[in-house]
Amino acid sequence: MTRTRAAGAKVLIIGYGSPIRGDDAIGPLVADRLEREGVPEGVEVISRHILTAELVADLVEHDRVIFLDAAVDGPPGEVRCRQLAPDASAMSTMAHFLDPRELLAWCETLYGQVPETFLVSACGTSFDYANYSLTPDAEAAMEPMIERVRQLIAQPAPI
């Protein structure tokens, strides 16, 4: 069951990725920039290196969740937005972090509700060691990511 409200939705933005792996830092960098520039009332922004189970309780307290991350499977700099649904089989290959869809499955199982959820991502070029240093392709993708997030924030939640 998806929990949403037509107006005044509580929105959670989670930028995640490794700050020392080049373009993988784009999620936290976009989240940090959104927070610096200001977001409307009812919008919370957090940055994480990884997604952990502790986020489940935060997710169910919001009507809409927007994850921000880097992608490796597309043209460099391409920005994508897709809606996510719970998927318990979307388990990470590494035991210390989780896939957003797995977190949603936990929301559904533990709380019987799932926020409307989106993933906004940008395809990176380099994931070598670089402390918060993006390639030009990823740097150019930041503004379109921010614009897409602002559109999702403004979009009325479905009834």
CSV table of all heavy atoms in Angstrom, one decimal, residues 25 38 56 60 73 97 101-103 108-109 112 117 123 125 127-128 140 146 148 157:
chain,number,residue,atom,x,y,z
A,25,ALA,N,30.3,10.2,-6.0
A,25,ALA,CA,30.0,11.2,-5.0
A,25,ALA,C,28.8,12.2,-5.5
A,25,ALA,O,28.4,13.0,-4.7
A,25,ALA,CB,31.2,12.1,-4.8
A,38,GLY,N,18.4,25.6,-0.2
A,38,GLY,CA,17.1,25.7,0.4
A,38,GLY,C,16.1,24.9,-0.2
A,38,GLY,O,16.0,24.8,-1.5
A,56,VAL,N,14.8,2.7,7.1
A,56,VAL,CA,13.5,2.2,6.9
A,56,VAL,C,12.5,3.1,7.7
A,56,VAL,O,11.4,3.5,7.2
A,56,VAL,CB,13.3,0.7,7.2
A,56,VAL,CG1,11.9,0.3,7.1
A,56,VAL,CG2,14.1,-0.1,6.1
A,60,VAL,N,9.2,5.5,6.0
A,60,VAL,CA,7.8,5.4,6.2
A,60,VAL,C,7.2,6.6,6.9
A,60,VAL,O,6.0,6.8,6.9
A,60,VAL,CB,7.4,4.1,7.1
A,60,VAL,CG1,7.8,2.9,6.3
A,60,VAL,CG2,8.0,4.2,8.5
A,73,ASP,N,25.7,2.5,-16.1
A,73,ASP,CA,25.2,1.8,-17.3
A,73,ASP,C,24.5,2.7,-18.3
A,73,ASP,O,23.5,2.3,-18.8
A,73,ASP,CB,24.2,0.7,-16.8
A,73,ASP,CG,23.0,1.3,-16.1
A,73,ASP,OD1,23.1,2.4,-15.7
A,73,ASP,OD2,22.0,0.6,-16.0
A,97,PHE,N,25.7,-2.6,2.5
A,97,PHE,CA,24.8,-1.5,2.0
A,97,PHE,C,23.6,-2.2,1.3
A,97,PHE,O,23.7,-3.3,0.9
A,97,PHE,CB,25.5,-0.5,1.2
A,97,PHE,CG,25.9,-1.0,-0.2
A,97,PHE,CD1,25.1,-0.9,-1.3
A,97,PHE,CD2,27.2,-1.5,-0.4
A,97,PHE,CE1,25.5,-1.4,-2.5
A,97,PHE,CE2,27.6,-2.0,-1.6
A,97,PHE,CZ,26.8,-1.9,-2.7
A,101,ARG,N,15.2,-0.4,-3.4
A,101,ARG,CA,14.0,-1.2,-3.5
A,101,ARG,C,13.9,-2.2,-2.4
A,101,ARG,O,12.8,-2.6,-2.0
A,101,ARG,CB,14.0,-1.9,-4.9
A,101,ARG,CG,13.9,-0.9,-6.0
A,101,ARG,CD,14.3,-1.5,-7.4
A,101,ARG,NE,15.7,-2.0,-7.3
A,101,ARG,CZ,16.2,-2.8,-8.2
A,101,ARG,NH1,15.5,-3.3,-9.2
A,101,ARG,NH2,17.4,-3.2,-8.1
A,102,GLU,N,15.1,-2.7,-1.9
A,102,GLU,CA,15.0,-3.6,-0.8
A,102,GLU,C,14.6,-2.9,0.5
A,102,GLU,O,13.8,-3.4,1.3
A,102,GLU,CB,16.4,-4.2,-0.5
A,102,GLU,CG,16.5,-5.2,0.6
A,102,GLU,CD,17.8,-5.8,0.8
A,102,GLU,OE1,18.8,-5.4,0.2
A,102,GLU,OE2,17.9,-6.7,1.6
A,103,LEU,N,15.0,-1.6,0.7
A,103,LEU,CA,14.5,-0.8,1.8
A,103,LEU,C,13.0,-0.6,1.7
A,103,LEU,O,12.3,-0.7,2.7
A,103,LEU,CB,15.2,0.5,1.8
A,103,LEU,CG,16.7,0.6,2.2
A,103,LEU,CD1,17.2,2.0,2.0
A,103,LEU,CD2,16.9,0.0,3.5
A,108,GLU,N,7.3,-2.1,3.4
A,108,GLU,CA,6.1,-2.8,3.1
A,108,GLU,C,5.8,-4.0,4.1
A,108,GLU,O,4.8,-4.1,4.7
A,108,GLU,CB,6.1,-3.4,1.7
A,108,GLU,CG,4.8,-4.0,1.2
A,108,GLU,CD,4.9,-4.3,-0.2
A,108,GLU,OE1,5.8,-5.1,-0.6
A,108,GLU,OE2,4.1,-3.8,-1.0
A,109,THR,N,6.9,-4.7,4.4
A,109,THR,CA,6.8,-5.9,5.3
A,109,THR,C,6.6,-5.5,6.8
A,109,THR,O,5.8,-6.0,7.5
A,109,THR,CB,8.0,-6.8,5.2
A,109,THR,OG1,8.1,-7.2,3.8
A,109,THR,CG2,8.0,-8.0,6.1
A,112,GLY,N,3.7,-2.1,6.5
A,112,GLY,CA,2.5,-2.1,5.7
A,112,GLY,C,2.2,-0.9,4.9
A,112,GLY,O,1.1,-0.7,4.4
A,117,THR,N,8.2,6.6,-4.3
A,117,THR,CA,9.7,6.7,-4.3
A,117,THR,C,10.2,6.8,-5.7
A,117,THR,O,9.8,6.1,-6.7
A,117,THR,CB,10.3,5.4,-3.6
A,117,THR,OG1,9.7,5.3,-2.4
A,117,THR,CG2,11.8,5.6,-3.5
A,123,CYS,N,24.7,9.2,-15.0
A,123,CYS,CA,25.7,8.2,-15.4
A,123,CYS,C,27.1,8.8,-15.3
A,123,CYS,O,27.3,9.9,-15.8
A,123,CYS,CB,25.4,7.8,-16.8
A,123,CYS,SG,23.9,6.9,-17.0
A,125,THR,N,31.4,8.7,-15.3
A,125,THR,CA,32.5,8.3,-16.2
A,125,THR,C,33.7,7.6,-15.5
A,125,THR,O,34.2,6.6,-16.0
A,125,THR,CB,33.1,9.6,-16.9
A,125,THR,OG1,32.0,10.3,-17.5
A,125,THR,CG2,34.1,9.2,-17.9
A,127,PHE,N,35.1,6.2,-11.6
A,127,PHE,CA,34.8,5.8,-10.2
A,127,PHE,C,36.1,5.5,-9.5
A,127,PHE,O,36.1,4.7,-8.5
A,127,PHE,CB,33.8,4.7,-10.2
A,127,PHE,CG,32.5,5.1,-10.7
A,127,PHE,CD1,32.2,4.9,-12.1
A,127,PHE,CD2,31.5,5.7,-9.9
A,127,PHE,CE1,31.0,5.3,-12.6
A,127,PHE,CE2,30.3,6.1,-10.4
A,127,PHE,CZ,30.0,5.9,-11.8
A,128,ASP,N,37.2,6.0,-10.1
A,128,ASP,CA,38.5,5.9,-9.4
A,128,ASP,C,38.6,6.7,-8.2
A,128,ASP,O,37.7,7.6,-7.9
A,128,ASP,CB,39.6,6.3,-10.4
A,128,ASP,CG,39.8,5.4,-11.6
A,128,ASP,OD1,39.4,4.2,-11.5
A,128,ASP,OD2,40.2,5.9,-12.7
A,140,ALA,N,28.4,18.4,-15.1
A,140,ALA,CA,27.4,18.9,-16.0
A,140,ALA,C,26.0,18.3,-15.6
A,140,ALA,O,25.0,19.0,-15.9
A,140,ALA,CB,27.7,18.7,-17.4
A,146,ILE,N,19.3,18.4,-10.1
A,146,ILE,CA,18.6,19.3,-9.2
A,146,ILE,C,17.3,19.8,-9.7
A,146,ILE,O,16.3,19.8,-9.0
A,146,ILE,CB,19.6,20.5,-8.9
A,146,ILE,CG1,20.7,20.0,-8.0
A,146,ILE,CG2,18.8,21.7,-8.2
A,146,ILE,CD1,21.9,21.0,-7.9
A,148,ARG,N,15.3,18.2,-11.8
A,148,ARG,CA,14.4,17.1,-11.7
A,148,ARG,C,13.9,16.9,-10.3
A,148,ARG,O,12.7,16.6,-10.1
A,148,ARG,CB,15.0,15.8,-12.3
A,148,ARG,CG,14.1,14.6,-12.4
A,148,ARG,CD,13.0,15.0,-13.4
A,148,ARG,NE,12.0,13.9,-13.4
A,148,ARG,CZ,10.7,14.0,-13.2
A,148,ARG,NH1,10.2,15.2,-12.8
A,148,ARG,NH2,9.9,13.0,-13.2
A,157,ALA,N,1.3,14.8,-4.8
A,157,ALA,CA,1.3,13.3,-4.6
A,157,ALA,C,0.0,12.8,-5.1
A,157,ALA,O,-1.0,13.4,-4.9
A,157,ALA,CB,1.6,13.0,-3.1
